Amino acid sequence: MHSLDQTPRVLVLLAAFNGMAFLPAQITSVLDQQAVAVQVVISIDRSCDGTEAWAEQLAQQNPRVSVLQRGQVFGGAAPNFFRLLRDVDMTRCDYVALADQDDLWHTDKLARACQQLRFTGAAGYSGNVTAFWPGGKERLIDKAQPQQPWDFLFEGPGPGCTFVLAQPLALALQTWVRQQGQALQPVDFHDWLIYAWVRAQGYQWLIDAQPHLRYRQHAHNQLGANAGLRPLLHRAWQMGNGWWLGQASLIARLLQLHEHPFVAPWLQGQRGGLLQLAMRAGQCRRRQRDQLLFFLSCLWMVIFLPGRGRLPCALA
């Protein structure tokens, strides 16, 4: 780990796919980070808009940028990030950060994260973001409520594009990702799984209330900001159709928590287990509003969908 008088070395892992509309501006905001030494590694899901050629040309022109061998089809951000975590050499940095292709970073984003990790002793960092839309609308996405004992199984700590990991944690995570192999393929959200793994291993995670990233919203966001009626209805539908249960159950099993007394009763979506989960909603979500919704959703499952393996898990 770097000393106070050394510039932190940050390795940025960026996953891209058909990113030419926004990627150049995002890369510029990453390379313009102040008070840190940045190296960027890009993994590109096979694209058709010139992303691969553009990134390779940038890497030839800028020694701080490199591109992993192209040609693979990942089909989503999660397997692309798992590829980065598995294959990139992380031994020559102090911190590892994740980056999407379409955001805009404040120039102090990484310096702030490194400072917070160093002075709090936390191993993992995420932060609030300012979501913005093409028409000029902006909204704070606040994920910085107090962490709860089991929130990591049901929600993430903010967008993965805010994640920064201390190097020892990143190396431990890399070892685990390599061990899992194809078992990670069904995971839809890498950031939710990373947070869950970090918390399950007993590491401290910090959620920063100060936003240092502009979180671009557009038609092709894989998840996007939970703002407005339409995203809320979409997530309500996911909570009721069994998708979230599948993800929470998968994460619990990957983390070897499936036999834990808290997890086992609800893992199969049985009525008694869901009722127990409803009564412990305060341990499963950070925001009080979300705790109430979680409680009500569990009760809905108990009444209308007993024994069908469905659970209202939380937003990633």
Side-chain angles (χ1 to χ4, degrees), residues 161-177:
C161 51
T162 67
F163 282 20
V164 180
L165 310 177
Q167 189 223 38
L169 172 63
L171 291 174
L173 175 63
Q174 182 176 66
T175 297
W176 182 77
V177 168

Side-chain angles (χ1 to χ4, degrees), residues 91-282:
T91 61
R92 291 175 290 182
C93 66
D94 301 306
Y95 302 95
V96 175
L98 305 186
D100 292 341
Q101 66 180 8
D102 46 10
D103 304 313
L104 294 172
W105 289 11
H106 296 191
T107 57
D108 63 344
K109 175 189 181 298
L110 291 180
R112 164 77 179 185
C114 295
Q115 180 188 58
Q116 291 294 299
L117 287 172
R118 181 168 183 83
F119 288 106
T120 65
Y125 169 100
S126 61
N128 288 342
V129 298
T130 302
F132 70 103
W133 285 260
K137 173 185 174 183
E138 295 189 359
R139 179 172 178 176
L140 174 69
I141 306 301
D142 184 8
K143 302 290 287 187
Q145 300 80 28
Q147 295 171 61
Q148 302 301 324
W150 292 100
D151 71 82
F152 61 88
L153 285 183
F154 302 101
E155 65 177 329
C161 51
T162 67
F163 282 20
V164 180
L165 310 177
Q167 189 223 38
L169 172 63
L171 291 174
L173 175 63
Q174 182 176 66
T175 297
W176 182 77
V177 168
R178 289 172 174 173
Q179 292 171 346
Q180 300 311 304
Q182 295 301 309
L184 299 182
Q185 288 301 311
V187 175
D188 286 336
F189 293 109
H190 60 284
D191 41 6
W192 182 3
L193 177 62
I194 291 170
Y195 174 61
W197 181 85
V198 170
R199 288 283 307 277
Q201 301 305 308
Y203 291 100
Q204 181 182 349
W205 189 281
L206 171 68
I207 306 177
D208 192 352
Q210 293 189 23
H212 290 265
L213 181 148
R214 289 176 55 78
Y215 190 41
R216 189 189 302 271
Q217 302 299 294
H218 54 82
H220 302 292
N221 287 112
Q222 184 169 353
L223 183 62
N226 183 24
L229 180 59
R230 182 176 297 180
L232 181 62
L233 292 176
H234 177 66
R235 283 164 171 80
W237 176 80
Q238 288 181 318
M239 289 168 71
N241 72 0
W243 182 83
W244 282 115
L245 172 62
Q247 288 294 297
S249 300
L250 173 61
I251 290 173
R253 293 182 186 279
L254 286 169
L255 299 179
Q256 300 296 309
L257 293 174
H258 53 284
E259 295 183 353
H260 192 281
F262 172 81
V263 176
W266 57 262
L267 198 61
Q268 301 301 323
Q270 300 299 317
R271 173 179 284 148
L274 294 177
L275 184 59
Q276 291 182 41
L277 193 63
M279 302 309 295
R280 301 180 71 174

